[in-house]
Amino acid sequence: MTTAAAPAGRTNPAAAAGPAPFTEALHRFAGALRDEARLRPEDVQPVWRSVLRSQEVLADTAALHTADPSLGRLDLNGPVFVIGFLRTGSTLLHNLLGLHEDLHSPLLWELTSHTDAVRSPHAHDRLRSRAQEYVEDYYRKAPDLPTIHYIDAGRPDECHRLLANTFHSMVLEMRYRVPSYGEWLHRQSLAEPYRWHRSQLQTLMSLHRQDDGTLPVPVLKCPFHTWFLPDLVQAHPDARFIHLHRDPVEVVGSTASLCRTLRGARSDEVDTKEIGDQWFGRITGLSQQLADDRDGLVAGRPVLDMPYERLVGDPQAAMRQICAFVGVPYTAGFAAAVDDHLRDRPARARGRHVYRLEDFGLTADTVTGATADYRKRFGV
């Protein structure tokens, strides 16, 4: 097995970057990267740079809030969170809602550079270009990724990029083989990481503050939130949720395929059976929790359930329903923008995502049987 050693002089990233919060999480993740991830030698340095960058963002966030206490008082207007399992149409929904003038779906470059953007308001084009360079490098490493999950610096993206800065995010166990970190993560409270998520979001949304001090309603999207809903609600007590649902057979297979592609960007040793077991366990376990007490998990906050088939079958009807739920007008201009988006970026324009459960040691009957209560509860 190939292990990933830290670059010379960086055996302790926390020490290299100075004191930082979330020291235990950092060392759990860093140790798993070193001992378990099987990174290619040429990918070790870029991954460790991303670890250090996360620490820098947290330090910069704290400094900005200290210098400008008004950031911590920004009213996020009842942020809307798109939740549900991976591969349920959340990217489509997030992009469409980002077209509404009263809403804002944070863009990838904002999520990666929000502190720099606040400090350097005239450098936004450069920061966006830097983010696009990251995207192009990822595509070179994972050429199948655009077919599965298209990303672009100027398009809405998932706010796992904020939570991952605290080293408390499932995206880390999606991108890398880090089983000891994953098991540790799922035993943790994420109340404090989500507090930092809110602080970073306030920093980002300050870029869109109007002259009267108001903000558009932020629309956040990350399937991984669904595993930690009570902690999210504690940090965002005014949150509202759009919960997407899709047949778990498709969810498990597509999620495992995405994981295989992402891990292949940094490692030549990708175990598909291990990936299948991991995401079968994660998804079926959560499906039972959602079936038993989804409304309790969100502490009674408003939730709109949206089947995948309704979203992709009639996006305009779905947008009309969602606008009513969020409390923004369904205007002719928004409807036209939705039509333009759907016409210009049709599904599968970059190729068809092909996967088989059997490639991951699973069967449809196994997944169906393990998610029966979820399918009954949510009608999928």
Side-chain angles (χ1 to χ4, degrees):
M1 176 185 3
T2 302
T3 58
R10 296 287 175 88
T11 56
N12 183 341
F22 308 114
T23 300
E24 181 182 4
L26 186 157
H27 285 288
R28 292 276 185 174
F29 177 57
L33 274 178
R34 181 187 62 242
D35 298 334
E36 301 167 357
R38 305 170 180 172
L39 300 179
R40 297 186 195 95
E42 65 269 25
D43 287 308
V44 171
Q45 287 277 0
V47 172
W48 283 95
R49 281 198 298 269
S50 73
V51 170
L52 297 172
R53 172 61 180 163
S54 290
Q55 293 180 283
E56 292 170 357
V57 171
L58 292 189
D60 289 346
T61 299
L64 285 168
H65 279 248
T66 298
D68 181 3
S70 71
L71 288 174
R73 297 191 295 269
L74 281 183
D75 185 353
L76 295 175
N77 301 317
V80 177
F81 287 85
V82 179
I83 60 170
F85 295 120
L86 293 87
R87 320 305 297 155
T88 56
S90 59
T91 298
L92 171 63
L93 176 56
H94 199 215
N95 277 272
L96 294 180
L97 291 179
L99 301 172
H100 198 290
E101 63 180 6
D102 295 332
L103 308 174
H104 182 66
S105 298
L107 309 179
L108 188 152
W109 80 265
E110 296 175 330
L111 291 161
T112 59
S113 304
H114 53 281
T115 55
D116 293 337
V118 169
R119 282 186 164 148
S120 303
H122 301 296
H124 290 186
D125 288 344
R126 176 177 59 81
L127 296 173
R128 178 169 173 166
S129 296
R130 184 176 72 182
Q132 191 60 32
E133 290 172 4
Y134 155 82
V135 170
E136 298 304 327
D137 179 67
Y138 219 131
Y139 283 167
R140 284 190 291 271
K141 292 285 188 177
D144 292 336
L145 184 58
T147 300
I148 304 172
H149 180 66
Y150 182 74
I151 59 176
D152 183 272
R155 290 166 62 105
D157 204 72
E158 297 182 358
C159 60
H160 66 64
R161 299 181 185 279
L162 304 181
L163 204 58
N165 287 330
T166 73
F167 308 103
H168 286 80
S169 175
M170 288 175 68
V171 75
L172 301 177
E173 66 169 343
M174 168 67 76
R175 290 175 182 162
Y176 311 108
R177 182 188 180 274
V178 286
S180 66
Y181 165 80
E183 291 307 307
W184 173 85
L185 175 67
H186 287 270
R187 298 193 300 268
Q188 306 309 303
S189 165
L190 267 63
E192 183 66 5
Y194 272 112
R195 189 180 73 81
W196 280 81
H197 175 280
R198 182 181 180 91
S199 294
Q200 292 176 85
L201 179 60
Q202 288 171 315
T203 305
L204 186 157
M205 291 302 298
S206 73
L207 297 169
H208 302 278
R209 187 160 30 186
Q210 305 298 313
D211 291 340
D212 62 0
T214 61
L215 303 173
V217 175
V219 179
L220 292 309
K221 181 273 254 206
C222 179
F224 300 126
H225 291 319
T226 319
W227 275 264
F228 300 98
L229 291 170
D231 296 327
L232 185 158
V233 173
Q234 184 175 336
H236 296 278
D238 55 349
R240 297 168 287 173
F241 297 93
I242 302 169
H243 192 170
L244 294 169
H245 302 281
R246 188 182 186 186
D247 181 351
V249 171
E250 298 296 331
V251 166
V252 172
S254 189
T255 299
S257 177
L258 173 62
C259 184
R260 174 177 58 187
T261 297
L262 292 176
R263 290 189 185 177
R266 300 296 187 190
S267 175
D268 292 322
E269 301 180 53
V270 178
D271 186 330
T272 54
K273 176 63 165 59
E274 184 179 55
I275 287 172
D277 289 343
Q278 176 183 349
W279 292 105
F280 175 81
R282 294 277 187 255
I283 291 166
T284 58
L286 178 59
S287 76
Q288 192 62 54
Q289 295 178 46
L290 293 170
D292 291 342
D293 192 22
R294 192 279 309 279
D295 293 342
L297 293 174
V298 299
R301 295 301 305 160
V303 183
L304 174 64
D305 289 298
M306 176 65 62
Y308 172 82
E309 296 300 334
R310 184 186 307 165
L311 173 64
V312 299
D314 192 343
Q316 289 286 8
M319 292 305 103
R320 186 184 298 274
Q321 183 181 9
I322 290 169
C323 284
F325 171 74
V326 175
V328 297
Y330 177 77
T331 63
F334 175 58
V338 168
D339 280 340
D340 289 345
H341 181 94
L342 295 172
R343 182 181 61 252
D344 295 341
R345 299 170 178 84
R348 299 174 182 168
R350 297 167 185 85
R352 182 181 176 87
H353 179 200
V354 179
Y355 53 88
R356 300 188 316 143
L357 274 173
E358 291 77 12
D359 294 340
F360 302 95
L362 301 169
T363 68
D365 287 345
T366 301
V367 176
T368 298
T371 56
D373 290 342
Y374 169 83
R375 290 184 295 106
K376 180 179 180 181
R377 165 70 173 82
F378 296 105
V380 293

